[in-house]
Amino acid sequence: MGHGTVSILGCGWLGSALGKVLAEKGFSVKGSVTSPEKFTTLFSAGISPFRLLLSPEELVIEEPDFFETDILIISVPPRRITGIEEVYPDQIRQIIPYIVMFGIEKVIFISSTSVYPENNQHATESDQFSPDKESGIALLLAENLLTSQTDFRTTVLRFGGLIGADRNPAKFLLKSTRTIANAPVNLIHRDDCIGIITAIIEQNLWGETLNACSPEHPLKKEFYGKAAQISGLPEPQVGEKVETFKTIDSRKLMQLLNYKFIYSSPMEYLDSLE
């Protein structure tokens, strides 16, 4: 029995792994990348490749039938460029006419917990807040653009920091010369991201906004300390002052989807590496 068609706009580290799993489950999967060089990777994962470029000025589509689909997943994070809070919503806005024209009724938008400011709070989806980062502002504007449409229903997924597969969390320490804050982490394993997206599709949960983070939040010094130990890197320096922080609450997702996290704590992922 066919499961229908899913198009993944943005087949990067998360999108290509997701597409492979959905294809194995019997969905017909289309995936977009920015260059034809990446086509072979998608082919080998059972994904039909399309070239699609979301530039700030225009949407470059070589084959519009990428949008001939039952479900569209938008997995294109905002880039770290100046003015991203204007550029990114404009990029997302360009997709909407295609969603409407092709009659797509179900959309999943991959957002991030960077929409929440760090106010030492327990962040839930019903919070009233203003993001404190440009990327957070950009994502929240894009979320609102999609969720305010009446022609289709969008489920927004606010993922925490992504870990898993070939992403060594200790590399974060190499990039960062600064000391790490004595604050909780908000992380999610790629396998859980894929499990959650699959559950949304299989259970038809549309028109919701969901936080998605491992329910346990060890302190950064515990998590990155252990990551450094496993990788043979020096122990990270922990800052003296207590930084501002947030802990992301994923209970709504767990209740609505009856979802059980594969890694309920990011520490379990590190244990699996040992």
Side-chain angles (χ1 to χ4, degrees):
M1 178 195 123
H3 282 71
T5 305
V6 178
S7 288
I8 303 170
L9 202 162
C11 271
W13 184 76
L14 172 60
S16 53
L18 167 68
K20 186 173 190 285
V21 170
L22 291 175
E24 285 162 0
K25 283 183 172 285
F27 288 92
S28 170
V29 182
K30 299 176 182 181
S32 86
V33 283
T34 50
S35 72
E37 288 81 78
K38 299 174 182 161
F39 277 15
T40 38
T41 319
L42 296 195
F43 270 127
S44 59
I47 303 167
S48 307
F50 288 77
R51 180 171 176 264
L52 192 147
L53 205 57
L54 261 183
S55 85
E57 297 75 41
E58 57 165 346
L59 184 58
V60 182
I61 305 174
E62 286 174 8
E63 299 165 86
D65 53 343
F66 169 78
F67 290 99
E68 191 74 62
T69 186
D70 302 304
I71 296 165
L72 175 67
I73 298 171
I74 303 171
S75 180
V76 186
R79 304 213 314 280
R80 292 185 179 181
I81 55 168
T82 320
I84 192 63
E85 60 275 34
E86 279 95 39
V87 172
Y88 185 73
D90 282 347
Q91 290 176 310
I92 299 301
R93 191 179 282 111
Q94 294 172 51
I95 302 168
I96 294 172
Y98 288 91
I99 300 175
V100 176
M101 182 165 62
F102 281 86
I104 303 169
E105 289 174 7
K106 302 163 178 177
V107 175
I108 293 176
F109 177 63
I110 306 300
S111 185
S112 148
T113 53
S114 67
V115 299
Y116 296 109
E118 307 219 335
N119 290 336
N120 302 350
Q121 84 281 30
H122 199 68
T124 68
E125 297 86 349
S126 55
D127 288 358
Q128 296 299 310
F129 60 88
S130 299
D132 50 18
K133 293 194 180 97
E134 280 84 4
S135 63
I137 296 166
L139 283 163
L140 193 61
L141 289 168
E143 284 184 11
N144 293 339
L145 267 174
L146 291 165
T147 54
S148 62
Q149 301 295 319
T150 51
D151 292 299
F152 56 89
R153 297 178 76 203
T154 303
T155 285
V156 171
L157 271 178
R158 293 173 176 164
F159 282 139
L162 300 179
I163 55 171
D166 49 0
R167 282 195 177 177
N168 178 352
K171 293 261 169 70
F172 165 86
L173 301 169
L174 295 175
K175 280 190 220 156
S176 140
T177 46
R178 61 194 172 84
T179 52
I180 56 168
N182 200 7
V185 295
N186 296 291
L187 299 171
I188 183 166
H189 193 284
R190 186 171 73 176
D191 293 353
D192 275 311
C193 296
I194 294 169
I196 288 162
I197 293 167
T198 308
I200 287 168
I201 293 171
E202 289 176 345
Q203 297 180 39
N204 263 313
L205 185 68
W206 306 104
E208 291 288 351
T209 295
L210 304 169
N211 289 341
C213 260
S214 283
E216 291 172 37
H217 305 271
L219 291 176
K220 285 182 180 176
K221 64 175 179 182
E222 292 174 63
F223 179 77
Y224 291 109
K226 179 156 187 177
Q229 192 190 336
I230 293 170
S231 305
L233 288 169
E235 191 80 9
Q237 294 298 305
V238 180
E240 289 302 306
K241 65 180 189 355
V242 176
E243 307 272 341
T244 53
F245 66 90
K246 60 192 172 197
T247 49
I248 303 298
D249 186 325
S250 299
R251 279 178 303 183
K252 180 182 173 185
L253 172 140
M254 292 160 80
Q255 284 161 357
L256 289 180
L257 290 169
N258 194 18
Y259 186 78
K260 188 176 183 304
F261 276 79
I262 302 163
Y263 297 94
S264 58
S265 168
M267 300 305 278
E268 292 172 13
Y269 165 58
L270 293 182
D271 292 340
S272 75
L273 299 177
E274 284 192 294

